[in-house]
Amino acid sequence: MQIRRLTPDDLPACGRLALSRNWGAESRKWRFLLDVGEAYGIDAPDGDGLAATNIVTLYGADHAVISMVLTAERYGRQGLGRALMDHVLDRAAGRTVSLHATAYGRPLYERTGFRAVATIVTHKGVFTGQASGRTHKADDLDAIVAFDAERFGADRSAVLRRMPDFHEQVRVAERDGRMTGFGGAWRNDDTLVIGPVVAEDQATARDLIADLAAGSTLPVRVDLDDSRPDLVDWVVERGVTHAFTTSAMVRGGELPGDQARLFTPTMQALG
């Protein structure tokens, strides 16, 4: 079973593998990650699609994020997931690596040196709140990239510069002519996902979430660290309720940047 680089031609097989493990097809998310990250897979020996996948997205020289870690059920417990994990960790080449883990996947990650650093609660539902009216549509990507680099602590400009094409909305918050936050909302299958949201304080994060989610005809998804109970309660009160929980895990050092100002990931399992 040879590890190979995946290409956009593999998108149908990626979707079939995801559906077989009760994930959504998430075709837009797969396509985005195949573009910005390094996607690897193992072909199924029976000729039926992919046996396993893993994607690593490199953020400059300091940080990497792992996502889309999947193994076909019929090939479980045969070492495919571990082989792909070892491969992408080699590609990360000494960077601090992060991921979001389900309870099912967490033992594999712990065996490869990851440790849990936070509990992430995914919320889904129809957003019933009102727009804040205190943010506006983004028109300066350079300013967003600069704002993010200082707070995220690593270069994810390759991802952020694709936001206008990938996201339904990108909004910024300002105070006295100075940027105080930005956020985006993107469509994943039949859900509007809020992320990233990077802000100077929780009040600004609430404004961004409200303005991105208000009026959506789709159910909204927001992933939040459970260490922010006030923000979690605010989201739940507006109809976006607890769906499931994952663990944020890190390997190889401390996360860069100012975690207090990172409110939601760019996309689930991407960081």
Side-chain angles (χ1 to χ4, degrees):
M1 296 187 186
Q2 297 297 313
I3 295 172
R4 67 174 178 87
R5 185 77 176 261
L6 300 180
T7 74
D9 291 340
D10 293 300
L11 276 170
C14 293
R16 289 196 303 273
L17 176 58
L19 288 170
S20 77
R21 299 316 308 259
N22 297 316
W23 285 23
E26 298 187 313
S27 58
R28 293 188 69 243
K29 181 177 177 181
W30 280 102
R31 185 179 296 278
F32 185 89
L33 288 169
L34 285 168
D35 182 29
V36 301
E38 295 184 14
Y40 296 94
I42 298 173
D43 292 311
D46 60 11
D48 184 13
L50 291 165
T53 60
N54 194 317
I55 298 179
V56 59
T57 304
L58 306 178
Y59 292 140
D62 301 317
H63 191 194
V65 175
I66 288 174
S67 58
M68 311 313 256
V69 181
L70 283 168
T71 300
E73 188 170 7
R74 67 190 185 279
Y75 293 112
R77 301 187 182 279
Q78 296 183 29
L80 278 67
R82 178 59 186 261
L84 278 169
M85 182 62 69
D86 289 344
H87 184 78
V88 300
L89 289 175
D90 285 345
R91 294 295 303 153
R95 294 170 174 85
T96 298
V97 184
S98 64
L99 53 78
H100 287 180
T102 63
Y104 178 81
R106 182 166 168 170
L108 167 65
Y109 307 136
E110 289 174 337
R111 288 194 296 272
T112 52
F114 284 88
R115 69 188 189 281
V117 295
T119 299
I120 306 299
V121 183
T122 293
H123 297 77
K124 291 184 179 181
V126 176
F127 186 83
T128 58
Q130 300 296 314
S132 77
R134 288 186 285 273
T135 71
H136 59 86
K137 291 185 178 180
D139 58 6
D140 188 347
L141 275 181
D142 289 339
I144 286 177
V145 168
F147 183 89
D148 183 74
E150 183 178 341
R151 289 147 186 87
F152 187 74
D155 178 12
R156 56 176 179 175
S157 57
V159 171
L160 297 177
R161 290 191 183 281
R162 289 168 169 81
M163 287 179 67
D165 294 327
F166 183 77
H167 285 66
E168 305 292 308
Q169 287 191 71
V170 182
R171 302 190 71 86
V172 297
E174 294 180 340
R175 186 181 303 120
D176 300 326
R178 181 179 65 86
M179 184 182 296
T180 57
F182 74 92
W186 57 280
R187 184 169 182 155
N188 190 33
D189 294 339
D190 59 354
T191 303
L192 185 72
V193 182
I194 307 299
V197 173
V198 181
E200 293 294 84
D201 52 54
Q202 190 162 289
T204 302
R206 287 198 304 266
D207 287 347
L208 287 162
I209 293 170
D211 288 352
L212 291 164
S216 172
T217 58
L218 298 173
V220 168
R221 172 173 172 168
V222 187
D223 284 15
L224 297 171
D225 189 322
D226 73 351
S227 67
R228 294 185 170 108
D230 292 346
L231 184 58
V232 169
D233 289 346
W234 178 85
V235 168
V236 170
E237 289 166 1
R238 284 151 183 80
V240 187
T241 58
H242 178 215
F244 58 88
T245 298
T246 55
S247 298
M249 304 189 76
V250 177
R251 179 183 187 272
E254 300 301 322
L255 286 171
D258 186 350
Q259 298 301 307
R261 289 173 170 78
L262 307 178
F263 287 87
T264 72
T266 307
M267 58 178 53
Q268 277 54 51
L270 183 58

